[in-house]
Amino acid sequence: MKSRPVAPPLRYPQSTHSVHRAAPPPQIIPSPTSPTPQHQPQPQKLSTMDIDDILASVDRTADTSTPESTALDHQLLTRFWVAERAVPELLPWPASLMERMIERVRRQIESIEDLAASSTDPMQTANAATTNLKLSILQSDLSRTQYLIRSLLRQRLSKLTAHSMHYLLLISRPASQPQSQSQTDSSRPEDSIPEPPDTEEDEDTSPLSKEEVTFLHAHQTLLAGHYGSSFLNSFPPQLRRLDDNAGGTSMVQGPDGKEVVFVRCLVEESRVVVPPGDGVEVEVEGTVLRMGEVWAVRWEGVKGAWGRGEVEVL
């Protein structure tokens, strides 16, 4: 068989015209006086009056403490108020914190009175709106602080009156501890009230303040006199004591440490303590609390951890 001849490939003549590319657009070089997009002047925002700035300015003029310490003390007062309302017994009185808060309240009242007097001055009518706003903010902040302090004091007074004899025995001097019936007989119920520590000699009155000690002793004295005139004076002398512990049973009832509280752990690890009692002879360690965990536990198990700052009461 004969093979067919293969046609040669076609070749096209090259164009004699050269291809010219389009020139790039000329770059616009900004003049030194023309503003660049990054440096264009921005419209200024109108300044607004912030509540925190007003309180801080008043604190700088009327209080020697800084606004940061004022905010920290208010946070500590709030946490102590929450804990006092949640736990069954009296917490140690925060003397230094309460002294600072009372001093700030006194100075803030003076600032409010000065602003109120200046707002009625006819020579300062131009700043009347700003002064009235400052007065409103300061009065609201003062009312918030006063509410916390009053609620805290009411809660502590409620616990004091409910367990007055227990706290009197707790803070009394060692020589005035109640004695058994076989050792002494009292002719009046008032004789069973122990003498409180001397508040003028800076004796330890924890967990009570000095004012609470004075109130508690006067309250219990009046209560014992009322009991005596009502019915106790008709009893035999050995049965008139308010702290009688004959037969191994004490008449003094304290707060229940087995009440449940909600706590949050603030450290890496904290343990719940199981105190002696209910079949436990010695103190043992219980559940481990981790940071950030919230637990419902007995107050007696986390009382020490709260005192060390390892947990906070919710």
Side-chain angles (χ1 to χ4, degrees):
M1 295 179 62
K2 295 182 180 180
S3 60
R4 294 181 180 181
V6 180
L10 297 177
R11 295 183 179 180
Y12 297 94
Q14 296 182 358
S15 175
T16 58
H17 300 283
S18 60
V19 179
H20 297 280
R21 295 182 179 179
Q27 297 181 357
I28 301 176
I29 301 176
S31 61
T33 57
S34 61
T36 59
Q38 292 81 2
H39 298 83
Q40 289 182 357
Q42 299 292 335
Q44 296 182 356
K45 297 181 180 180
L46 297 177
S47 60
T48 58
M49 184 172 296
D50 193 2
I51 295 178
D52 294 335
D53 295 338
I54 295 176
L55 293 176
S57 63
V58 174
D59 287 338
R60 284 192 292 268
T61 57
D63 198 351
T64 56
S65 61
T66 61
E68 291 78 9
S69 63
T70 303
L72 178 61
D73 284 348
H74 193 276
Q75 182 181 5
L76 293 176
L77 176 63
T78 304
R79 292 179 62 179
F80 185 78
W81 169 69
V82 172
E84 189 68 65
R85 290 172 58 89
V87 302
E89 64 179 358
L90 277 177
L91 297 177
W93 176 255
S96 58
L97 173 62
M98 296 306 299
E99 288 176 0
R100 294 194 302 268
M101 295 303 299
I102 295 298
E103 181 65 19
R104 288 193 182 97
V105 168
R106 184 185 64 82
R107 294 188 178 185
Q108 194 164 358
I109 291 176
E110 294 178 355
S111 301
I112 291 175
E113 292 176 352
D114 294 341
L115 285 176
S118 63
S119 63
T120 58
D121 190 358
M123 302 299 294
Q124 298 182 359
T125 56
N127 298 328
T130 304
T131 303
N132 292 334
L133 179 58
K134 287 184 178 180
L135 277 174
S136 178
I137 295 173
L138 289 176
Q139 288 172 353
S140 300
D141 183 71
L142 177 63
S143 300
R144 179 183 60 170
T145 306
Q146 287 178 335
Y147 170 78
L148 290 177
I149 295 176
R150 289 169 180 169
S151 178
L152 174 64
L153 294 179
R154 290 193 188 102
Q155 187 66 28
R156 292 181 66 88
L157 287 178
S158 175
K159 295 179 181 180
L160 281 176
T161 54
H163 308 286
S164 54
M165 200 64 183
H166 166 76
Y167 288 110
L168 273 178
L169 296 175
L170 183 64
I171 64 174
S172 61
R173 301 172 183 174
S176 60
Q177 290 290 340
Q179 300 177 355
S180 62
Q181 177 184 354
S182 59
Q183 294 175 345
T184 180
D185 287 334
S186 178
S187 60
R188 298 186 309 165
E190 295 90 333
D191 297 336
S192 60
I193 299 177
E195 288 294 330
D198 191 357
T199 56
E200 297 181 357
E201 296 181 359
D202 295 334
E203 294 187 13
D204 185 20
T205 60
S206 181
L208 279 66
S209 64
K210 296 180 180 180
E211 293 78 10
E212 289 174 339
V213 171
T214 304
F215 162 79
L216 184 60
H217 187 265
H219 168 77
Q220 189 62 23
T221 302
L222 292 175
L223 194 62
H226 172 68
Y227 288 161
S229 60
S230 298
F231 58 92
L232 283 181
N233 287 337
S234 60
F235 290 0
Q238 65 272 17
L239 299 179
R240 296 176 185 175
R241 295 189 62 88
L242 297 179
D243 58 346
D244 188 14
N245 57 358
T249 302
S250 177
M251 294 180 58
V252 180
Q253 297 293 328
D256 186 10
K258 299 184 183 299
E259 289 190 11
V260 176
V261 296
F262 290 90
V263 297
R264 179 190 290 116
C265 185
L266 303 177
V267 294
E268 293 294 336
E269 181 178 308
S270 180
R271 287 188 174 272
V272 178
V273 176
V274 181
D278 295 339
V280 180
E281 297 181 356
V282 295
E283 182 179 289
V284 296
E285 294 183 349
T287 307
V288 178
L289 307 181
R290 306 293 181 182
M291 178 179 290
E293 294 181 347
V294 177
W295 284 73
V297 294
R298 290 181 176 179
W299 167 244
E300 62 182 6
V302 294
K303 179 180 178 180
W306 180 87
R308 296 187 298 268
E310 298 177 358
V311 298
E312 66 171 341
V313 182
L314 303 179

Short mmCIF file of all heavy atoms in Angstrom, two decimals, residues 21-27:
data_model
loop_
_atom_site.label_atom_id
_atom_site.label_comp_id
_atom_site.label_asym_id
_atom_site.label_seq_id
_atom_site.Cartn_x
_atom_site.Cartn_y
_atom_site.Cartn_z
N ARG A 21 2.77 48.69 24.59
CA ARG A 21 1.95 48.60 25.80
C ARG A 21 1.53 49.98 26.27
O ARG A 21 2.26 50.95 26.11
CB ARG A 21 2.72 47.90 26.92
CG ARG A 21 3.04 46.44 26.59
CD ARG A 21 3.76 45.80 27.75
NE ARG A 21 4.04 44.40 27.45
CZ ARG A 21 4.68 43.58 28.28
NH1 ARG A 21 5.09 44.04 29.46
NH2 ARG A 21 4.91 42.33 27.93
N ALA A 22 0.36 49.98 26.90
CA ALA A 22 -0.14 51.27 27.40
C ALA A 22 0.70 51.74 28.57
O ALA A 22 1.08 50.95 29.45
CB ALA A 22 -1.60 51.13 27.84
N ALA A 23 1.02 52.98 28.57
CA ALA A 23 1.84 53.54 29.64
C ALA A 23 1.03 53.60 30.93
O ALA A 23 -0.18 53.85 30.91
CB ALA A 23 2.31 54.94 29.25
N PRO A 24 1.67 53.33 32.08
CA PRO A 24 0.93 53.39 33.36
C PRO A 24 0.46 54.81 33.64
O PRO A 24 1.09 55.78 33.20
CB PRO A 24 1.96 52.93 34.38
CG PRO A 24 3.28 53.23 33.75
CD PRO A 24 3.09 53.03 32.27
N PRO A 25 -0.64 54.92 34.35
CA PRO A 25 -1.15 56.26 34.65
C PRO A 25 -0.16 57.01 35.53
O PRO A 25 0.52 56.42 36.37
CB PRO A 25 -2.47 56.00 35.39
CG PRO A 25 -2.32 54.63 35.95
CD PRO A 25 -1.48 53.87 34.97
N PRO A 26 -0.04 58.26 35.33
CA PRO A 26 0.91 59.04 36.14
C PRO A 26 0.48 59.07 37.61
O PRO A 26 -0.70 59.19 37.92
CB PRO A 26 0.86 60.44 35.51
CG PRO A 26 -0.48 60.50 34.87
CD PRO A 26 -0.78 59.12 34.38
N GLN A 27 1.46 58.92 38.50
CA GLN A 27 1.18 58.97 39.93
C GLN A 27 1.03 60.41 40.38
O GLN A 27 1.81 61.28 39.99
CB GLN A 27 2.32 58.30 40.72
CG GLN A 27 2.46 56.82 40.42
CD GLN A 27 3.56 56.20 41.23
OE1 GLN A 27 4.24 56.90 41.98
NE2 GLN A 27 3.73 54.89 41.09
#
